[in-house]
PDB file of all heavy atoms in Angstrom:
ATOM      1  N   LYS A  97      -2.450  25.781   8.435  1.00 95.00           N
ATOM      2  CA  LYS A  97      -1.516  26.826   8.054  1.00 95.00           C
ATOM      3  C   LYS A  97      -0.603  27.279   9.212  1.00 95.00           C
ATOM      4  O   LYS A  97       0.331  28.020   9.019  1.00 95.00           O
ATOM      5  CB  LYS A  97      -2.287  28.024   7.471  1.00 95.00           C
ATOM      6  CG  LYS A  97      -3.054  27.691   6.188  1.00 95.00           C
ATOM      7  CD  LYS A  97      -2.123  27.090   5.079  1.00 95.00           C
ATOM      8  CE  LYS A  97      -2.901  26.540   3.895  1.00 95.00           C
ATOM      9  NZ  LYS A  97      -2.164  25.630   3.039  1.00 95.00           N
ATOM     10  N   ASP A  98      -0.916  26.815  10.433  1.00 96.00           N
ATOM     11  CA  ASP A  98      -0.061  27.207  11.558  1.00 96.00           C
ATOM     12  C   ASP A  98       1.045  26.196  11.863  1.00 96.00           C
ATOM     13  O   ASP A  98       1.622  26.195  12.923  1.00 96.00           O
ATOM     14  CB  ASP A  98      -0.891  27.504  12.829  1.00 96.00           C
ATOM     15  CG  ASP A  98      -1.904  26.407  13.132  1.00 96.00           C
ATOM     16  OD1 ASP A  98      -2.142  25.554  12.236  1.00 96.00           O
ATOM     17  OD2 ASP A  98      -2.441  26.402  14.244  1.00 96.00           O
ATOM     18  N   ILE A  99       1.317  25.296  10.911  1.00 97.00           N
ATOM     19  CA  ILE A  99       2.530  24.458  11.005  1.00 97.00           C
ATOM     20  C   ILE A  99       3.296  24.580   9.708  1.00 97.00           C
ATOM     21  O   ILE A  99       2.758  25.028   8.676  1.00 97.00           O
ATOM     22  CB  ILE A  99       2.213  22.994  11.319  1.00 97.00           C
ATOM     23  CG1 ILE A  99       1.501  22.332  10.109  1.00 97.00           C
ATOM     24  CG2 ILE A  99       1.373  22.810  12.526  1.00 97.00           C
ATOM     25  CD1 ILE A  99       1.488  20.827  10.208  1.00 97.00           C
ATOM     26  N   TYR A 100       4.544  24.153   9.721  1.00 98.00           N
ATOM     27  CA  TYR A 100       5.337  24.098   8.475  1.00 98.00           C
ATOM     28  C   TYR A 100       5.306  22.651   7.979  1.00 98.00           C
ATOM     29  O   TYR A 100       5.656  21.724   8.711  1.00 98.00           O
ATOM     30  CB  TYR A 100       6.783  24.521   8.724  1.00 98.00           C
ATOM     31  CG  TYR A 100       7.652  24.289   7.498  1.00 98.00           C
ATOM     32  CD1 TYR A 100       7.627  25.205   6.418  1.00 98.00           C
ATOM     33  CD2 TYR A 100       8.475  23.160   7.403  1.00 98.00           C
ATOM     34  CE1 TYR A 100       8.384  24.946   5.289  1.00 98.00           C
ATOM     35  CE2 TYR A 100       9.244  22.950   6.255  1.00 98.00           C
ATOM     36  CZ  TYR A 100       9.180  23.815   5.218  1.00 98.00           C
ATOM     37  OH  TYR A 100       9.917  23.595   4.087  1.00 98.00           O
ATOM     38  N   ALA A 101       4.856  22.465   6.727  1.00 98.00           N
ATOM     39  CA  ALA A 101       4.851  21.106   6.151  1.00 98.00           C
ATOM     40  C   ALA A 101       5.499  21.126   4.804  1.00 98.00           C
ATOM     41  O   ALA A 101       5.242  22.044   4.004  1.00 98.00           O
ATOM     42  CB  ALA A 101       3.413  20.623   6.014  1.00 98.00           C
ATOM     43  N   GLU A 102       6.376  20.160   4.552  1.00 98.00           N
ATOM     44  CA  GLU A 102       7.033  20.150   3.229  1.00 98.00           C
ATOM     45  C   GLU A 102       7.046  18.745   2.612  1.00 98.00           C
ATOM     46  O   GLU A 102       7.145  17.739   3.331  1.00 98.00           O
ATOM     47  CB  GLU A 102       8.488  20.690   3.311  1.00 98.00           C
ATOM     48  CG  GLU A 102       9.461  19.736   4.017  1.00 98.00           C
ATOM     49  CD  GLU A 102      10.929  20.086   3.721  1.00 98.00           C
ATOM     50  OE1 GLU A 102      11.277  21.280   3.824  1.00 98.00           O
ATOM     51  OE2 GLU A 102      11.717  19.166   3.402  1.00 98.00           O
ATOM     52  N   TRP A 103       6.979  18.719   1.279  1.00 98.00           N
ATOM     53  CA  TRP A 103       7.410  17.535   0.550  1.00 98.00           C
ATOM     54  C   TRP A 103       8.906  17.690   0.402  1.00 98.00           C
ATOM     55  O   TRP A 103       9.384  18.634  -0.182  1.00 98.00           O
ATOM     56  CB  TRP A 103       6.762  17.460  -0.848  1.00 98.00           C
ATOM     57  CG  TRP A 103       5.302  17.135  -0.822  1.00 98.00           C
ATOM     58  CD1 TRP A 103       4.302  17.867  -1.369  1.00 98.00           C
ATOM     59  CD2 TRP A 103       4.677  15.986  -0.232  1.00 98.00           C
ATOM     60  NE1 TRP A 103       3.092  17.247  -1.135  1.00 98.00           N
ATOM     61  CE2 TRP A 103       3.295  16.090  -0.435  1.00 98.00           C
ATOM     62  CE3 TRP A 103       5.140  14.868   0.469  1.00 98.00           C
ATOM     63  CZ2 TRP A 103       2.366  15.128   0.012  1.00 98.00           C
ATOM     64  CZ3 TRP A 103       4.251  13.936   0.932  1.00 98.00           C
ATOM     65  CH2 TRP A 103       2.868  14.070   0.700  1.00 98.00           C
ATOM     66  N   SER A 104       9.625  16.717   0.935  1.00 98.00           N
ATOM     67  CA  SER A 104      11.104  16.757   0.817  1.00 98.00           C
ATOM     68  C   SER A 104      11.471  16.044  -0.461  1.00 98.00           C
ATOM     69  O   SER A 104      10.698  15.323  -1.062  1.00 98.00           O
ATOM     70  CB  SER A 104      11.714  16.059   2.016  1.00 98.00           C
ATOM     71  OG  SER A 104      11.252  16.615   3.216  1.00 98.00           O
ATOM     72  N   THR A 105      12.725  16.248  -0.908  1.00 98.00           N
ATOM     73  CA  THR A 105      13.211  15.626  -2.121  1.00 98.00           C
ATOM     74  C   THR A 105      13.199  14.105  -2.000  1.00 98.00           C
ATOM     75  O   THR A 105      12.880  13.419  -2.944  1.00 98.00           O
ATOM     76  CB  THR A 105      14.661  16.078  -2.397  1.00 98.00           C
ATOM     77  OG1 THR A 105      14.696  17.493  -2.257  1.00 98.00           O
ATOM     78  CG2 THR A 105      15.094  15.707  -3.792  1.00 98.00           C
ATOM     79  N   ASN A 106      13.569  13.593  -0.828  1.00 98.00           N
ATOM     80  CA  ASN A 106      13.439  12.157  -0.570  1.00 98.00           C
ATOM     81  C   ASN A 106      13.340  11.957   0.949  1.00 98.00           C
ATOM     82  O   ASN A 106      13.389  12.922   1.727  1.00 98.00           O
ATOM     83  CB  ASN A 106      14.591  11.366  -1.205  1.00 98.00           C
ATOM     84  CG  ASN A 106      15.964  11.756  -0.654  1.00 98.00           C
ATOM     85  OD1 ASN A 106      16.081  12.146   0.524  1.00 98.00           O
ATOM     86  ND2 ASN A 106      16.981  11.665  -1.476  1.00 98.00           N
ATOM     87  N   GLU A 107      13.223  10.705   1.372  1.00 98.00           N
ATOM     88  CA  GLU A 107      12.987  10.432   2.778  1.00 98.00           C
ATOM     89  C   GLU A 107      14.206  10.768   3.641  1.00 98.00           C
ATOM     90  O   GLU A 107      14.073  11.120   4.807  1.00 98.00           O
ATOM     91  CB  GLU A 107      12.621   8.945   2.977  1.00 98.00           C
ATOM     92  CG  GLU A 107      11.291   8.534   2.368  1.00 98.00           C
ATOM     93  CD  GLU A 107      11.360   8.138   0.896  1.00 98.00           C
ATOM     94  OE1 GLU A 107      12.444   8.331   0.288  1.00 98.00           O
ATOM     95  OE2 GLU A 107      10.347   7.636   0.357  1.00 98.00           O
ATOM     96  N   LYS A 108      15.387  10.633   3.060  1.00 98.00           N
ATOM     97  CA  LYS A 108      16.610  10.952   3.814  1.00 98.00           C
ATOM     98  C   LYS A 108      16.623  12.422   4.201  1.00 98.00           C
ATOM     99  O   LYS A 108      16.842  12.800   5.327  1.00 98.00           O
ATOM    100  CB  LYS A 108      17.825  10.587   2.984  1.00 98.00           C
ATOM    101  CG  LYS A 108      19.169  10.885   3.666  1.00 98.00           C
ATOM    102  CD  LYS A 108      20.325  10.454   2.746  1.00 98.00           C
ATOM    103  CE  LYS A 108      21.674  10.544   3.418  1.00 98.00           C
ATOM    104  NZ  LYS A 108      22.070  11.916   3.719  1.00 98.00           N
ATOM    105  N   VAL A 109      16.318  13.264   3.209  1.00 98.00           N
ATOM    106  CA  VAL A 109      16.240  14.714   3.506  1.00 98.00           C
ATOM    107  C   VAL A 109      15.132  15.008   4.471  1.00 98.00           C
ATOM    108  O   VAL A 109      15.294  15.827   5.403  1.00 98.00           O
ATOM    109  CB  VAL A 109      16.088  15.494   2.171  1.00 98.00           C
ATOM    110  CG1 VAL A 109      15.986  17.003   2.463  1.00 98.00           C
ATOM    111  CG2 VAL A 109      17.264  15.248   1.229  1.00 98.00           C
ATOM    112  N   ALA A 110      13.969  14.344   4.269  1.00 98.00           N
ATOM    113  CA  ALA A 110      12.836  14.563   5.193  1.00 98.00           C
ATOM    114  C   ALA A 110      13.279  14.279   6.638  1.00 98.00           C
ATOM    115  O   ALA A 110      12.986  15.063   7.536  1.00 98.00           O
ATOM    116  CB  ALA A 110      11.680  13.662   4.817  1.00 98.00           C
ATOM    117  N   MET A 111      14.020  13.186   6.846  1.00 98.00           N
ATOM    118  CA  MET A 111      14.478  12.840   8.186  1.00 98.00           C
ATOM    119  C   MET A 111      15.433  13.887   8.725  1.00 98.00           C
ATOM    120  O   MET A 111      15.359  14.266   9.894  1.00 98.00           O
ATOM    121  CB  MET A 111      15.179  11.463   8.146  1.00 98.00           C
ATOM    122  CG  MET A 111      15.536  10.921   9.502  1.00 98.00           C
ATOM    123  SD  MET A 111      14.127  10.231  10.417  1.00 98.00           S
ATOM    124  CE  MET A 111      13.811   8.720   9.527  1.00 98.00           C
TER     125      MET A 111
END
Side-chain angles (χ1 to χ4, degrees):
Chain A
K97 297 305 171 198
D98 49 346
I99 67 166
Y100 172 79
E102 73 163 47
W103 288 124
S104 305
T105 313
N106 62 32
E107 294 86 352
K108 180 178 187 294
V109 178
M111 187 75 74

